[in-house]
Amino acid sequence: MKISVKTSDRTQMIDITSQVAEAVRSSDIKDGLVHVFSMHTTAAITINENADPAVPKDILRTINKVIPWDDQYRHMEGNSAAHIKVSLFGPSETVPLENGSLVLGTWQSIFFCEFDGPRQRKVDIRVIPMGTG
Ligand code: ZN
């Protein structure tokens, strides 16, 4: 299934863990793997801490410093910084599914990472059944 994510800033990390868990519930699959995939070249998926909201803020501050928006890029669209960030973060994450629950560590959340917003975005979520044996 696909979920929509509406972003409001040029760079932004949005916790989508609850939407992913909801997609898993609607699949009726209890054990396997959940694949979360950003269908964009300028938006990524990552897993990190959201218990302290300063963590995603620090990640964005650092990635924006390392990869500045303007840096004599050749890509005519003018958003090379976003493309580079997506290639570093990656477009997807895979999370184990056990007894209907995402197997995430205490501090782990699934983030949609906007690098060229604000935009309306799509995330593809697939639940792959696997035996537990
Ligand atoms: Zn581009």
Side-chain angles (χ1 to χ4, degrees):
M1 73 172 295
K2 291 177 179 60
I3 63 166
S4 290
V5 180
K6 190 173 168 50
T7 63
S8 56
D9 287 315
R10 178 182 277 175
T11 60
Q12 188 178 16
M13 290 172 67
I14 298 176
D15 189 334
I16 59 167
T17 309
S18 60
Q19 291 101 305
V20 174
E22 184 55 43
V24 168
R25 266 192 296 279
S26 71
S27 78
D28 280 333
I29 297 167
K30 301 292 182 208
D31 292 281
L33 294 171
V34 183
H35 189 252
V36 183
F37 179 73
S38 164
M39 298 174 63
H40 305 280
T41 59
T42 54
I45 304 291
T46 197
I47 293 176
N48 216 305
E49 175 172 343
N50 199 26
D52 179 359
V55 172
K57 285 192 175 72
D58 285 345
I59 292 172
L60 288 176
R61 186 177 153 276
T62 301
I63 197 82
N64 287 334
K65 193 163 54 181
V66 172
I67 305 165
W69 188 258
D70 294 308
D71 196 17
Q72 299 177 322
Y73 304 115
R74 300 175 66 107
H75 178 43
M76 293 297 285
E77 196 187 2
N79 61 355
S80 273
H83 291 296
I84 293 164
K85 289 169 189 172
V86 169
S87 275
L88 290 177
F89 278 57
S92 67
E93 290 284 356
T94 306
V95 182
L97 177 67
E98 193 173 73
N99 297 322
S101 295
L102 298 169
V103 182
L104 289 168
T106 307
W107 309 110
Q108 287 181 311
S109 291
I110 306 165
F111 285 96
F112 180 85
C113 305
E114 175 63 81
F115 293 133
D116 189 16
R119 296 196 202 202
Q120 188 77 39
R121 301 293 206 170
K122 278 197 167 58
V123 177
D124 184 278
I125 299 170
R126 295 188 190 225
V127 187
I128 304 147
M130 286 170 75
T132 52

